[in-house]
Amino acid sequence: MTELGFVAWPPAPIRTERLVLRESEARDRSAFIELFASPEVGTYIGGPRPRDELERAAPEVPGRRPGLFVVDLAGRRRPRAMIGMVTLDRRDAGRPGRVRPDARETELGYMFLPEAWGRGYAAEACAAALEWFADARPGEPVVLCTQTANDRAMRLAAKLGFTETERFEEYGAEQWFGVWTTPAMGPRQPGGPASRPCEDRSDEQRSPQL
């Protein structure tokens, strides 16, 4: 993870109609392990990691870094529980796909527990994170890369307003690469399984650090 420029971190929790996006806490450790150990979540990001390995490797507070939002269900009638995460990371300049000469664009990624799929939570959380980023870094593009075989991620990219810029072959699969533009750069549209930055088999397909 490379710092997101001069963005102050952590921001105040971001609240939507159904969700809260916030910094990671110690109580999220078990949910992080469930995310990375899930075969369903790992389908397009290199597969699940062994649970015993995760139990040993996970720090007391996983995911405590700039650019990583834990996604909670909001509500007064039940304890808030982590259902997933959204990330905004600087893309490796050596990777294929770019929208400006110096590369290093900010890349959107997300992972949600299977029980949270099919309810629109990923779209709601990603849209909120993009809106926050547009306010924090006006004029900067955000990119997203996913396998074309990941139908849910492709549909979500379109729903969020990402525009395809190219497709390329990487790590044995066709990748879709798109860009989302902030209001300062041009019009944007408002805003399942995981979509992480372009699948990379060299390191668990660039699964985020615990």
Side-chain angles (χ1 to χ4, degrees), residues 128-171:
L130 288 170
E131 184 176 351
W132 169 83
F133 185 81
D135 290 337
R137 301 290 292 174
E140 285 202 19
V142 179
V143 299
L144 182 148
C145 186
T146 188
Q147 288 187 17
T148 55
N150 190 344
D151 293 336
R152 292 192 181 197
M154 295 284 286
R155 290 196 298 270
L156 180 53
K159 183 174 183 178
L160 291 170
F162 281 85
T163 301
E164 180 178 341
T165 60
E166 61 179 303
R167 299 189 183 198
F168 49 83
E169 190 82 8
E170 188 180 32
Y171 306 109

Side-chain angles (χ1 to χ4, degrees), residues 29-203:
R29 189 177 187 273
S30 61
F32 270 98
I33 291 172
E34 289 299 322
L35 271 176
F36 286 94
S38 168
E40 295 90 347
V41 175
T43 300
Y44 297 103
I45 56 172
R49 292 172 59 179
R51 186 176 296 274
D52 58 347
E53 173 189 306
L54 292 167
E55 291 283 2
R56 291 193 303 270
E60 182 178 348
V61 184
R64 179 67 68 88
R65 62 173 177 80
L68 190 151
F69 290 101
V70 162
V71 182
D72 266 350
L73 284 176
R76 297 181 179 179
R77 297 185 179 180
R78 55 187 167 184
R80 291 190 302 171
M82 175 180 170
I83 60 168
M85 56 188 255
V86 174
T87 58
L88 290 163
D89 292 333
R90 289 296 187 189
R91 183 174 174 79
D92 185 348
R95 306 287 310 289
R98 62 182 58 186
V99 295
R100 57 187 188 186
D102 61 347
R104 306 298 291 172
E105 299 93 350
T106 297
E107 186 166 22
L108 174 72
Y110 56 91
M111 298 172 71
F112 283 80
L113 292 167
E115 54 264 34
W117 295 0
R119 302 179 185 181
Y121 292 145
E124 188 172 330
C126 288
L130 288 170
E131 184 176 351
W132 169 83
F133 185 81
D135 290 337
R137 301 290 292 174
E140 285 202 19
V142 179
V143 299
L144 182 148
C145 186
T146 188
Q147 288 187 17
T148 55
N150 190 344
D151 293 336
R152 292 192 181 197
M154 295 284 286
R155 290 196 298 270
L156 180 53
K159 183 174 183 178
L160 291 170
F162 281 85
T163 301
E164 180 178 341
T165 60
E166 61 179 303
R167 299 189 183 198
F168 49 83
E169 190 82 8
E170 188 180 32
Y171 306 109
E174 184 183 49
Q175 311 292 338
W176 183 95
F177 187 79
V179 62
W180 179 91
T181 54
T182 68
M185 297 182 63
R188 64 179 173 90
Q189 299 176 16
S195 172
R196 288 298 311 144
C198 227
E199 287 73 9
D200 180 350
R201 299 186 186 277
S202 64
D203 181 20

